[in-house]
Amino acid sequence: MTGMKDKITKETIYKLLDIKDIEPYKVPRKLFQILLNKSERVKVFEKFLSVSDVLTKDWFFDYFQTEQAEMNRQKQDLTPNNLSRLLAQLSHNDRKWNNSGIRLDVGTGAGTLTIAKWIEDQVKHDNLVIK
């Protein structure tokens, strides 16, 4: 992949998930339903890949930070990308654990920590197999 396509906008997310612009509250639930259905998950992932083939960036970070975090009312915030990368580098890299595929994203939000660790693993292990 070229890495030339890399812009996922709010409008793109709504369109690819078939969500009306006035219904942003439906995005997290829709994504969760898609994740639980393998064939749908693959189909939607391929749609997103047609818009952005950059897999070293969290596609949803900007969207969730601006549209879902409720920073003013509930003081919610996403894990900053720099902190996610640092935690990924500090995480246990013992060969036994590294091969297990086990990851724990304690923030349980948009997956920024998981994505940072996935990228870190790709950098360290060129033979990484994604299942």
Side-chain angles (χ1 to χ4, degrees):
M1 294 197 184
T2 64
M4 298 303 289
K5 305 176 292 179
D6 66 354
K7 188 64 176 165
I8 299 286
T9 64
K10 169 176 70 171
E11 293 76 20
T12 303
I13 291 171
Y14 294 153
K15 181 181 177 185
L16 295 179
L17 297 179
D18 194 29
I19 293 176
K20 306 279 187 262
D21 191 41
I22 57 172
E23 301 173 326
Y25 62 92
K26 292 185 176 181
V27 171
R29 182 172 181 82
K30 180 79 172 204
L31 286 171
F32 186 69
Q33 290 171 339
I34 290 167
L35 286 173
L36 296 177
N37 181 323
K38 184 175 183 177
S39 63
E40 183 71 9
R41 182 174 66 230
V42 170
K43 187 168 45 173
V44 171
F45 181 63
E46 287 173 352
K47 286 181 186 180
F48 275 91
L49 278 175
S50 73
V51 175
S52 175
D53 58 1
V54 178
L55 297 179
T56 57
K57 180 183 179 201
D58 180 351
W59 290 339
F60 296 98
F61 183 86
D62 293 334
Y63 170 78
F64 276 100
Q65 184 71 20
T66 57
E67 300 294 323
Q68 301 281 333
E70 297 189 43
M71 291 171 51
N72 293 331
R73 192 167 54 103
Q74 296 190 18
K75 307 297 183 219
Q76 296 175 349
D77 203 357
L78 299 181
T79 307
N81 287 319
N82 288 339
L83 181 57
S84 296
R85 285 191 293 271
L86 175 63
L87 289 171
Q89 291 171 0
L90 292 173
S91 63
H92 200 272
N93 273 330
D94 178 275
R95 197 72 177 149
K96 174 184 168 191
W97 287 99
N98 212 20
N99 286 336
S100 70
I102 296 172
R103 303 292 179 258
L104 173 63
D105 187 340
V106 295
T108 64
T112 305
L113 296 173
T114 300
I115 292 167
K117 184 60 181 161
W118 182 77
I119 292 166
E120 177 71 16
D121 287 347
Q122 280 190 310
V123 169
K124 288 185 178 181
H125 306 284
D126 60 346
N127 61 349
L128 182 66
V129 176
I130 308 301
K131 295 180 182 180

